[in-house]
Structures are given as C-alpha cells and as structure tokens.
mmCIF file of all heavy atoms in Angstrom:
data_model
loop_
_atom_site.group_PDB
_atom_site.id
_atom_site.type_symbol
_atom_site.label_atom_id
_atom_site.label_comp_id
_atom_site.label_asym_id
_atom_site.label_seq_id
_atom_site.Cartn_x
_atom_site.Cartn_y
_atom_site.Cartn_z
ATOM 1 N N ARG A 1 22.078 -1.848 -3.479
ATOM 2 C CA ARG A 1 21.074 -2.697 -2.915
ATOM 3 C C ARG A 1 21.685 -3.953 -2.589
ATOM 4 O O ARG A 1 22.275 -4.674 -3.437
ATOM 5 C CB ARG A 1 19.874 -2.796 -3.833
ATOM 6 C CG ARG A 1 19.384 -1.451 -4.333
ATOM 7 C CD ARG A 1 18.278 -1.645 -5.465
ATOM 8 N NE ARG A 1 17.970 -0.346 -6.020
ATOM 9 C CZ ARG A 1 17.086 -0.165 -6.954
ATOM 10 N NH1 ARG A 1 16.252 -1.204 -7.408
ATOM 11 N NH2 ARG A 1 16.773 1.047 -7.516
ATOM 12 N N THR A 2 21.473 -4.447 -1.285
ATOM 13 C CA THR A 2 22.092 -5.608 -0.814
ATOM 14 C C THR A 2 21.089 -6.765 -0.560
ATOM 15 O O THR A 2 19.877 -6.657 -0.710
ATOM 16 C CB THR A 2 22.867 -5.248 0.464
ATOM 17 O OG1 THR A 2 21.971 -4.881 1.490
ATOM 18 C CG2 THR A 2 23.925 -4.283 0.142
ATOM 19 N N THR A 3 21.721 -7.877 -0.125
ATOM 20 C CA THR A 3 20.777 -9.113 0.132
ATOM 21 C C THR A 3 20.688 -9.313 1.654
ATOM 22 O O THR A 3 21.302 -8.632 2.464
ATOM 23 C CB THR A 3 21.473 -10.345 -0.569
ATOM 24 O OG1 THR A 3 22.684 -10.673 0.048
ATOM 25 C CG2 THR A 3 21.698 -10.037 -2.034
ATOM 26 N N VAL A 4 20.106 -10.375 2.007
ATOM 27 C CA VAL A 4 19.910 -10.799 3.344
ATOM 28 C C VAL A 4 21.294 -11.089 4.060
ATOM 29 O O VAL A 4 21.483 -10.930 5.201
ATOM 30 C CB VAL A 4 19.063 -12.071 3.421
ATOM 31 C CG1 VAL A 4 19.663 -13.313 2.906
ATOM 32 C CG2 VAL A 4 18.655 -12.374 4.962
ATOM 33 N N LEU A 5 22.361 -11.476 3.315
ATOM 34 C CA LEU A 5 23.559 -11.534 3.883
ATOM 35 C C LEU A 5 24.123 -10.406 4.521
ATOM 36 O O LEU A 5 25.034 -10.451 5.402
ATOM 37 C CB LEU A 5 24.590 -12.211 2.818
ATOM 38 C CG LEU A 5 24.195 -13.510 2.106
ATOM 39 C CD1 LEU A 5 25.348 -13.929 1.198
ATOM 40 C CD2 LEU A 5 23.894 -14.540 3.107
ATOM 41 N N ASP A 6 23.746 -9.248 4.021
ATOM 42 C CA ASP A 6 24.302 -8.045 4.521
ATOM 43 C C ASP A 6 23.732 -7.665 5.902
ATOM 44 O O ASP A 6 24.096 -6.828 6.585
ATOM 45 C CB ASP A 6 23.945 -6.824 3.575
ATOM 46 C CG ASP A 6 24.819 -5.545 3.880
ATOM 47 O OD1 ASP A 6 25.957 -5.681 4.119
ATOM 48 O OD2 ASP A 6 24.226 -4.439 3.807
ATOM 49 N N ARG A 7 22.694 -8.480 6.276
ATOM 50 C CA ARG A 7 22.108 -8.321 7.614
ATOM 51 C C ARG A 7 22.392 -9.405 8.574
ATOM 52 O O ARG A 7 21.706 -9.601 9.558
ATOM 53 C CB ARG A 7 20.547 -8.183 7.413
ATOM 54 C CG ARG A 7 20.226 -6.914 6.571
ATOM 55 C CD ARG A 7 18.739 -6.795 6.253
ATOM 56 N NE ARG A 7 18.205 -7.653 5.296
ATOM 57 C CZ ARG A 7 18.366 -7.432 4.049
ATOM 58 N NH1 ARG A 7 18.929 -6.355 3.629
ATOM 59 N NH2 ARG A 7 17.826 -8.316 3.101
ATOM 60 N N LEU A 8 23.507 -10.121 8.363
ATOM 61 C CA LEU A 8 23.996 -11.135 9.228
ATOM 62 C C LEU A 8 25.302 -10.606 9.923
ATOM 63 O O LEU A 8 26.341 -10.682 9.287
ATOM 64 C CB LEU A 8 24.321 -12.460 8.555
ATOM 65 C CG LEU A 8 23.099 -13.135 7.765
ATOM 66 C CD1 LEU A 8 23.511 -14.339 6.974
ATOM 67 C CD2 LEU A 8 22.013 -13.453 8.753
ATOM 68 N N PRO A 9 25.159 -10.093 11.076
ATOM 69 C CA PRO A 9 26.362 -9.337 11.650
ATOM 70 C C PRO A 9 27.529 -10.164 11.880
ATOM 71 O O PRO A 9 28.661 -9.628 11.749
ATOM 72 C CB PRO A 9 25.727 -8.774 12.978
ATOM 73 C CG PRO A 9 24.600 -9.628 13.254
ATOM 74 C CD PRO A 9 24.033 -10.031 11.988
ATOM 75 N N VAL A 10 27.350 -11.447 12.143
ATOM 76 C CA VAL A 10 28.559 -12.230 12.390
ATOM 77 C C VAL A 10 29.295 -12.688 11.111
ATOM 78 O O VAL A 10 30.455 -12.687 10.971
ATOM 79 C CB VAL A 10 28.211 -13.542 13.213
ATOM 80 C CG1 VAL A 10 29.489 -14.434 13.419
ATOM 81 C CG2 VAL A 10 27.605 -13.076 14.584
ATOM 82 N N LEU A 11 28.416 -13.030 10.076
ATOM 83 C CA LEU A 11 28.961 -13.640 8.783
ATOM 84 C C LEU A 11 29.397 -12.657 7.812
ATOM 85 O O LEU A 11 30.186 -12.847 6.965
ATOM 86 C CB LEU A 11 27.978 -14.554 8.267
ATOM 87 C CG LEU A 11 27.690 -15.880 9.001
ATOM 88 C CD1 LEU A 11 26.557 -16.641 8.210
ATOM 89 C CD2 LEU A 11 28.918 -16.772 9.125
ATOM 90 N N ARG A 12 28.817 -11.377 7.753
ATOM 91 C CA ARG A 12 28.968 -10.496 6.718
ATOM 92 C C ARG A 12 30.449 -10.055 6.496
ATOM 93 O O ARG A 12 30.758 -9.625 5.339
ATOM 94 C CB ARG A 12 28.053 -9.230 6.867
ATOM 95 C CG ARG A 12 28.381 -8.306 8.007
ATOM 96 C CD ARG A 12 27.398 -7.251 8.225
ATOM 97 N NE ARG A 12 27.265 -6.307 7.006
ATOM 98 C CZ ARG A 12 27.987 -5.176 6.941
ATOM 99 N NH1 ARG A 12 28.791 -4.830 7.844
ATOM 100 N NH2 ARG A 12 27.798 -4.469 5.849
ATOM 101 N N ARG A 13 31.216 -10.157 7.504
ATOM 102 C CA ARG A 13 32.682 -9.866 7.302
ATOM 103 C C ARG A 13 33.519 -11.061 7.193
ATOM 104 O O ARG A 13 34.775 -10.893 7.184
ATOM 105 C CB ARG A 13 33.146 -8.966 8.531
ATOM 106 C CG ARG A 13 32.511 -7.654 8.456
ATOM 107 C CD ARG A 13 33.046 -6.673 9.605
ATOM 108 N NE ARG A 13 32.467 -5.421 9.535
ATOM 109 C CZ ARG A 13 32.782 -4.391 8.766
ATOM 110 N NH1 ARG A 13 33.885 -4.612 7.952
ATOM 111 N NH2 ARG A 13 32.130 -3.265 8.715
ATOM 112 N N ARG A 14 32.983 -12.220 7.156
ATOM 113 C CA ARG A 14 33.753 -13.408 6.934
ATOM 114 C C ARG A 14 33.401 -14.115 5.647
ATOM 115 O O ARG A 14 32.601 -14.980 5.468
ATOM 116 C CB ARG A 14 33.544 -14.465 8.103
ATOM 117 C CG ARG A 14 33.710 -13.776 9.487
ATOM 118 C CD ARG A 14 33.468 -14.706 10.603
ATOM 119 N NE ARG A 14 34.470 -15.736 10.683
ATOM 120 C CZ ARG A 14 34.565 -16.650 11.640
ATOM 121 N NH1 ARG A 14 33.626 -16.635 12.591
ATOM 122 N NH2 ARG A 14 35.551 -17.611 11.653
ATOM 123 N N HIS A 15 34.141 -13.533 4.634
ATOM 124 C CA HIS A 15 33.752 -13.883 3.193
ATOM 125 C C HIS A 15 33.724 -15.386 2.800
ATOM 126 O O HIS A 15 32.929 -15.786 2.096
ATOM 127 C CB HIS A 15 34.705 -13.105 2.316
ATOM 128 C CG HIS A 15 34.604 -11.596 2.447
ATOM 129 N ND1 HIS A 15 35.639 -10.648 2.172
ATOM 130 C CD2 HIS A 15 33.618 -10.830 2.949
ATOM 131 C CE1 HIS A 15 35.247 -9.592 2.561
ATOM 132 N NE2 HIS A 15 34.069 -9.565 2.994
ATOM 133 N N ARG A 16 34.744 -16.083 3.344
ATOM 134 C CA ARG A 16 34.868 -17.493 3.048
ATOM 135 C C ARG A 16 33.576 -18.276 3.579
ATOM 136 O O ARG A 16 33.219 -19.191 2.973
ATOM 137 C CB ARG A 16 36.184 -18.057 3.605
ATOM 138 C CG ARG A 16 37.403 -17.549 2.826
ATOM 139 C CD ARG A 16 38.598 -18.274 3.270
ATOM 140 N NE ARG A 16 39.777 -17.814 2.491
ATOM 141 C CZ ARG A 16 41.016 -18.201 2.764
ATOM 142 N NH1 ARG A 16 41.210 -19.198 3.478
ATOM 143 N NH2 ARG A 16 41.989 -17.722 2.034
ATOM 144 N N LEU A 17 33.159 -17.846 4.756
ATOM 145 C CA LEU A 17 31.953 -18.490 5.326
ATOM 146 C C LEU A 17 30.758 -18.190 4.515
ATOM 147 O O LEU A 17 29.735 -18.959 4.582
ATOM 148 C CB LEU A 17 31.782 -18.139 6.792
ATOM 149 C CG LEU A 17 32.894 -18.586 7.758
ATOM 150 C CD1 LEU A 17 32.523 -18.272 9.130
ATOM 151 C CD2 LEU A 17 33.094 -20.168 7.636
ATOM 152 N N LEU A 18 30.681 -17.084 3.772
ATOM 153 C CA LEU A 18 29.609 -16.682 3.046
ATOM 154 C C LEU A 18 29.516 -17.416 1.705
ATOM 155 O O LEU A 18 28.342 -17.444 1.119
ATOM 156 C CB LEU A 18 29.611 -15.148 2.736
ATOM 157 C CG LEU A 18 29.309 -14.241 3.961
ATOM 158 C CD1 LEU A 18 29.463 -12.808 3.468
ATOM 159 C CD2 LEU A 18 27.916 -14.425 4.517
ATOM 160 N N LEU A 19 30.577 -17.946 1.255
ATOM 161 C CA LEU A 19 30.620 -18.561 -0.111
ATOM 162 C C LEU A 19 29.533 -19.577 -0.326
ATOM 163 O O LEU A 19 28.833 -19.461 -1.435
ATOM 164 C CB LEU A 19 31.976 -19.204 -0.375
ATOM 165 C CG LEU A 19 32.056 -19.829 -1.757
ATOM 166 C CD1 LEU A 19 32.037 -18.765 -2.835
ATOM 167 C CD2 LEU A 19 33.444 -20.549 -1.937
ATOM 168 N N PRO A 20 29.218 -20.491 0.549
ATOM 169 C CA PRO A 20 28.140 -21.406 0.258
ATOM 170 C C PRO A 20 26.849 -20.812 0.112
ATOM 171 O O PRO A 20 25.953 -21.407 -0.533
ATOM 172 C CB PRO A 20 28.151 -22.400 1.461
ATOM 173 C CG PRO A 20 29.539 -22.223 2.047
ATOM 174 C CD PRO A 20 29.922 -20.856 1.792
ATOM 175 N N LEU A 21 26.663 -19.657 0.632
ATOM 176 C CA LEU A 21 25.335 -18.934 0.627
ATOM 177 C C LEU A 21 25.199 -18.032 -0.523
ATOM 178 O O LEU A 21 24.100 -17.501 -0.872
ATOM 179 C CB LEU A 21 25.174 -18.031 1.913
ATOM 180 C CG LEU A 21 25.081 -19.022 3.245
ATOM 181 C CD1 LEU A 21 25.113 -17.997 4.448
ATOM 182 C CD2 LEU A 21 23.994 -19.970 3.270
ATOM 183 N N MET A 22 26.361 -17.695 -1.245
ATOM 184 C CA MET A 22 26.297 -16.685 -2.187
ATOM 185 C C MET A 22 25.394 -17.103 -3.439
ATOM 186 O O MET A 22 24.731 -16.287 -4.018
ATOM 187 C CB MET A 22 27.617 -16.303 -2.794
ATOM 188 C CG MET A 22 28.408 -15.384 -1.870
ATOM 189 S SD MET A 22 30.008 -14.829 -2.596
ATOM 190 C CE MET A 22 30.373 -13.503 -1.429
ATOM 191 N N PRO A 23 25.422 -18.394 -3.959
ATOM 192 C CA PRO A 23 24.521 -18.708 -4.945
ATOM 193 C C PRO A 23 23.080 -18.467 -4.625
ATOM 194 O O PRO A 23 22.336 -17.886 -5.504
ATOM 195 C CB PRO A 23 24.709 -20.221 -5.134
ATOM 196 C CG PRO A 23 26.199 -20.430 -4.739
ATOM 197 C CD PRO A 23 26.398 -19.446 -3.531
ATOM 198 N N TYR A 24 22.631 -18.802 -3.471
ATOM 199 C CA TYR A 24 21.391 -18.454 -3.031
ATOM 200 C C TYR A 24 21.104 -16.882 -3.038
ATOM 201 O O TYR A 24 20.073 -16.494 -3.544
ATOM 202 C CB TYR A 24 21.036 -19.021 -1.694
ATOM 203 C CG TYR A 24 19.846 -18.435 -1.054
ATOM 204 C CD1 TYR A 24 18.507 -18.988 -1.283
ATOM 205 C CD2 TYR A 24 19.923 -17.507 0.010
ATOM 206 C CE1 TYR A 24 17.439 -18.482 -0.714
ATOM 207 C CE2 TYR A 24 18.785 -16.901 0.539
ATOM 208 C CZ TYR A 24 17.573 -17.383 0.294
ATOM 209 O OH TYR A 24 16.424 -16.818 0.823
ATOM 210 N N ALA A 25 22.002 -16.244 -2.448
ATOM 211 C CA ALA A 25 21.837 -14.744 -2.352
ATOM 212 C C ALA A 25 21.737 -14.080 -3.629
ATOM 213 O O ALA A 25 20.924 -13.165 -3.804
ATOM 214 C CB ALA A 25 23.083 -14.183 -1.480
ATOM 215 N N VAL A 26 22.731 -14.353 -4.610
ATOM 216 C CA VAL A 26 22.656 -13.663 -5.841
ATOM 217 C C VAL A 26 21.389 -13.910 -6.685
ATOM 218 O O VAL A 26 20.800 -13.060 -7.466
ATOM 219 C CB VAL A 26 23.917 -13.889 -6.799
ATOM 220 C CG1 VAL A 26 25.167 -13.421 -6.000
ATOM 221 C CG2 VAL A 26 23.983 -15.322 -7.138
ATOM 222 N N GLU A 27 20.777 -15.118 -6.437
ATOM 223 C CA GLU A 27 19.550 -15.479 -7.158
ATOM 224 C C GLU A 27 18.393 -14.729 -6.588
ATOM 225 O O GLU A 27 17.248 -14.721 -7.200
ATOM 226 C CB GLU A 27 19.313 -16.972 -7.188
ATOM 227 C CG GLU A 27 20.347 -17.762 -8.034
ATOM 228 C CD GLU A 27 20.212 -19.213 -7.978
ATOM 229 O OE1 GLU A 27 19.322 -19.825 -7.218
ATOM 230 O OE2 GLU A 27 20.869 -19.931 -8.779
ATOM 231 N N GLN A 28 18.499 -13.964 -5.442
ATOM 232 C CA GLN A 28 17.399 -13.291 -4.799
ATOM 233 C C GLN A 28 17.365 -11.902 -5.402
ATOM 234 O O GLN A 28 16.376 -11.124 -5.108
ATOM 235 C CB GLN A 28 17.469 -13.340 -3.400
ATOM 236 C CG GLN A 28 17.552 -14.678 -2.747
ATOM 237 C CD GLN A 28 16.637 -15.781 -3.314
ATOM 238 O OE1 GLN A 28 15.400 -15.455 -3.348
ATOM 239 N NE2 GLN A 28 17.135 -16.842 -3.801
ATOM 240 N N HIS A 29 18.385 -11.400 -6.058
ATOM 241 C CA HIS A 29 18.315 -10.022 -6.650
ATOM 242 C C HIS A 29 17.116 -9.951 -7.546
ATOM 243 O O HIS A 29 17.018 -10.665 -8.531
ATOM 244 C CB HIS A 29 19.597 -9.708 -7.472
ATOM 245 C CG HIS A 29 20.817 -9.602 -6.548
ATOM 246 N ND1 HIS A 29 20.894 -8.677 -5.439
ATOM 247 C CD2 HIS A 29 22.045 -9.949 -6.707
ATOM 248 C CE1 HIS A 29 22.068 -8.767 -4.954
ATOM 249 N NE2 HIS A 29 22.830 -9.465 -5.742
ATOM 250 N N ASP A 30 16.217 -8.976 -7.285
ATOM 251 C CA ASP A 30 15.082 -8.809 -8.129
ATOM 252 C C ASP A 30 15.445 -7.733 -9.344
ATOM 253 O O ASP A 30 15.455 -6.604 -8.994
ATOM 254 C CB ASP A 30 13.861 -8.252 -7.309
ATOM 255 C CG ASP A 30 12.653 -8.040 -8.097
ATOM 256 O OD1 ASP A 30 12.665 -8.331 -9.324
ATOM 257 O OD2 ASP A 30 11.667 -7.660 -7.492
ATOM 258 N N LEU A 31 15.700 -8.306 -10.409
ATOM 259 C CA LEU A 31 16.129 -7.480 -11.538
ATOM 260 C C LEU A 31 15.092 -7.243 -12.585
ATOM 261 O O LEU A 31 15.341 -6.800 -13.654
ATOM 262 C CB LEU A 31 17.309 -8.195 -12.216
ATOM 263 C CG LEU A 31 18.524 -8.349 -11.326
ATOM 264 C CD1 LEU A 31 19.586 -9.314 -11.947
ATOM 265 C CD2 LEU A 31 19.212 -7.046 -10.892
ATOM 266 N N ARG A 32 13.836 -7.411 -12.203
ATOM 267 C CA ARG A 32 12.794 -7.099 -13.118
ATOM 268 C C ARG A 32 12.723 -5.487 -13.370
ATOM 269 O O ARG A 32 13.038 -4.825 -12.446
ATOM 270 C CB ARG A 32 11.392 -7.512 -12.493
ATOM 271 C CG ARG A 32 11.212 -9.033 -12.379
ATOM 272 C CD ARG A 32 9.987 -9.395 -11.661
ATOM 273 N NE ARG A 32 10.076 -9.032 -10.233
ATOM 274 C CZ ARG A 32 9.080 -9.147 -9.409
ATOM 275 N NH1 ARG A 32 7.937 -9.666 -9.803
ATOM 276 N NH2 ARG A 32 9.263 -8.809 -8.179
ATOM 277 N N GLY A 33 12.396 -5.123 -14.458
ATOM 278 C CA GLY A 33 12.230 -3.677 -14.815
ATOM 279 C C GLY A 33 13.597 -3.199 -15.441
ATOM 280 O O GLY A 33 13.716 -1.957 -15.837
ATOM 281 N N PHE A 34 14.615 -4.113 -15.644
ATOM 282 C CA PHE A 34 15.810 -3.690 -16.365
ATOM 283 C C PHE A 34 15.931 -4.376 -17.719
ATOM 284 O O PHE A 34 15.530 -5.593 -17.875
ATOM 285 C CB PHE A 34 17.084 -3.915 -15.555
ATOM 286 C CG PHE A 34 17.008 -3.263 -14.209
ATOM 287 C CD1 PHE A 34 16.573 -3.901 -13.068
ATOM 288 C CD2 PHE A 34 17.324 -1.897 -14.146
ATOM 289 C CE1 PHE A 34 16.531 -3.286 -11.907
ATOM 290 C CE2 PHE A 34 17.261 -1.201 -12.974
ATOM 291 C CZ PHE A 34 16.924 -1.889 -11.756
ATOM 292 N N ASP A 35 16.442 -3.634 -18.680
ATOM 293 C CA ASP A 35 16.646 -4.282 -20.001
ATOM 294 C C ASP A 35 17.959 -4.929 -20.068
ATOM 295 O O ASP A 35 18.041 -6.088 -20.664
ATOM 296 C CB ASP A 35 16.693 -3.146 -21.147
ATOM 297 C CG ASP A 35 15.411 -2.422 -21.112
ATOM 298 O OD1 ASP A 35 14.388 -2.999 -21.152
ATOM 299 O OD2 ASP A 35 15.408 -1.090 -21.089
ATOM 300 N N VAL A 36 19.055 -4.436 -19.470
ATOM 301 C CA VAL A 36 20.382 -4.898 -19.530
ATOM 302 C C VAL A 36 20.889 -5.152 -18.114
ATOM 303 O O VAL A 36 20.868 -4.174 -17.310
ATOM 304 C CB VAL A 36 21.297 -4.096 -20.284
ATOM 305 C CG1 VAL A 36 22.759 -4.659 -20.334
ATOM 306 C CG2 VAL A 36 20.831 -3.824 -21.795
ATOM 307 N N VAL A 37 21.427 -6.270 -17.825
ATOM 308 C CA VAL A 37 22.040 -6.622 -16.500
ATOM 309 C C VAL A 37 23.559 -6.901 -16.746
ATOM 310 O O VAL A 37 23.787 -7.694 -17.654
ATOM 311 C CB VAL A 37 21.341 -7.784 -15.806
ATOM 312 C CG1 VAL A 37 22.155 -8.158 -14.523
ATOM 313 C CG2 VAL A 37 19.932 -7.614 -15.532
ATOM 314 N N ILE A 38 24.443 -6.033 -16.178
ATOM 315 C CA ILE A 38 25.841 -6.286 -16.285
ATOM 316 C C ILE A 38 26.438 -6.704 -15.019
ATOM 317 O O ILE A 38 26.350 -6.008 -13.939
ATOM 318 C CB ILE A 38 26.500 -5.005 -16.754
ATOM 319 C CG1 ILE A 38 25.784 -4.450 -17.928
ATOM 320 C CG2 ILE A 38 27.991 -5.178 -16.975
ATOM 321 C CD1 ILE A 38 26.324 -2.943 -18.355
ATOM 322 N N SER A 39 26.918 -7.893 -14.894
ATOM 323 C CA SER A 39 27.507 -8.445 -13.645
ATOM 324 C C SER A 39 29.028 -8.315 -13.731
ATOM 325 O O SER A 39 29.683 -8.587 -14.765
ATOM 326 C CB SER A 39 27.137 -9.920 -13.494
ATOM 327 O OG SER A 39 27.488 -10.704 -14.585
ATOM 328 N N SER A 40 29.477 -7.845 -12.657
ATOM 329 C CA SER A 40 30.967 -7.660 -12.434
ATOM 330 C C SER A 40 31.365 -8.911 -11.509
ATOM 331 O O SER A 40 31.128 -8.939 -10.266
ATOM 332 C CB SER A 40 31.267 -6.403 -11.739
ATOM 333 O OG SER A 40 32.622 -6.331 -11.184
ATOM 334 N N HIS A 41 31.987 -9.834 -12.018
ATOM 335 C CA HIS A 41 32.078 -11.193 -11.417
ATOM 336 C C HIS A 41 33.435 -11.726 -11.151
ATOM 337 O O HIS A 41 34.283 -11.729 -11.935
ATOM 338 C CB HIS A 41 31.381 -12.181 -12.498
ATOM 339 C CG HIS A 41 31.739 -13.608 -12.294
ATOM 340 N ND1 HIS A 41 31.464 -14.356 -11.153
ATOM 341 C CD2 HIS A 41 32.352 -14.531 -13.171
ATOM 342 C CE1 HIS A 41 31.909 -15.578 -11.269
ATOM 343 N NE2 HIS A 41 32.361 -15.783 -12.508
ATOM 344 N N HIS A 42 33.655 -12.190 -9.919
ATOM 345 C CA HIS A 42 34.887 -13.039 -9.575
ATOM 346 C C HIS A 42 34.530 -14.115 -8.618
ATOM 347 O O HIS A 42 35.416 -14.819 -8.175
ATOM 348 C CB HIS A 42 35.987 -12.119 -8.978
ATOM 349 C CG HIS A 42 35.606 -11.344 -7.696
ATOM 350 N ND1 HIS A 42 35.540 -11.909 -6.523
ATOM 351 C CD2 HIS A 42 35.211 -10.076 -7.649
ATOM 352 C CE1 HIS A 42 35.189 -10.931 -5.704
ATOM 353 N NE2 HIS A 42 34.935 -9.797 -6.287
ATOM 354 N N ALA A 43 33.225 -14.294 -8.264
ATOM 355 C CA ALA A 43 32.869 -15.451 -7.474
ATOM 356 C C ALA A 43 31.525 -15.947 -7.895
ATOM 357 O O ALA A 43 31.365 -17.025 -8.342
ATOM 358 C CB ALA A 43 32.782 -15.049 -5.934
ATOM 359 N N ALA A 44 30.401 -15.146 -7.679
ATOM 360 C CA ALA A 44 29.104 -15.669 -7.893
ATOM 361 C C ALA A 44 28.210 -14.660 -8.561
ATOM 362 O O ALA A 44 26.877 -14.973 -8.856
ATOM 363 C CB ALA A 44 28.435 -16.107 -6.623
ATOM 364 N N ALA A 45 28.562 -13.450 -8.897
ATOM 365 C CA ALA A 45 27.705 -12.374 -9.397
ATOM 366 C C ALA A 45 27.066 -12.811 -10.784
ATOM 367 O O ALA A 45 25.986 -12.312 -11.129
ATOM 368 C CB ALA A 45 28.407 -11.144 -9.575
ATOM 369 N N HIS A 46 27.671 -13.697 -11.502
ATOM 370 C CA HIS A 46 27.190 -14.097 -12.794
ATOM 371 C C HIS A 46 25.928 -14.933 -12.658
ATOM 372 O O HIS A 46 25.308 -15.203 -13.659
ATOM 373 C CB HIS A 46 28.298 -14.771 -13.620
ATOM 374 C CG HIS A 46 28.621 -16.014 -13.081
ATOM 375 N ND1 HIS A 46 28.863 -16.357 -11.660
ATOM 376 C CD2 HIS A 46 28.872 -17.341 -13.599
ATOM 377 C CE1 HIS A 46 29.176 -17.578 -11.372
ATOM 378 N NE2 HIS A 46 29.273 -18.236 -12.568
ATOM 379 N N GLY A 47 25.600 -15.368 -11.541
ATOM 380 C CA GLY A 47 24.552 -16.308 -11.241
ATOM 381 C C GLY A 47 23.168 -15.669 -11.061
ATOM 382 O O GLY A 47 22.128 -16.356 -10.764
#
C-alpha cells in the first residue's frame, strides 16, 4: 500500500527530490487496526 507520492509521475523516480516530502507521506499511513507496526528504516519509515 502506497502514498500520494506514488501517484506523482515526475517525482516518484527522483528519490532525492522526494526526501522533503517523505516525513509528510509516512505520517499519512493509516495503521489503525494493527497491534504491532514494524518499520524497515533507512530514511523516514520510522516516522
């Protein structure tokens, strides 16, 4: 399941340009309904 960044055709393949938007994007993940959330992190997934 992806975020709105996956629907930006120009930016989605330019990872460095996406970095400023990643904090906003990961905070939009709707994780209600789960007991345990495991993030695999090297940039922003822990957020």
Side-chain angles (χ1 to χ4, degrees):
R1 308 176 188 181
T2 60
T3 68
V4 65
L5 299 186
D6 200 39
R7 295 179 283 281
L8 301 177
V10 176
L11 291 179
R12 67 187 298 268
R13 293 187 179 274
R14 305 183 69 179
H15 301 151
R16 291 188 180 181
L17 295 181
L18 288 177
L19 180 65
L21 301 175
M22 278 191 174
Y24 164 81
V26 299
E27 290 178 354
Q28 306 315 305
H29 288 314
D30 186 356
L31 299 170
R32 293 173 296 178
F34 299 100
D35 301 308
V36 179
V37 175
I38 305 172
S39 55
S40 167
H41 159 58
H42 58 79
H46 67 315

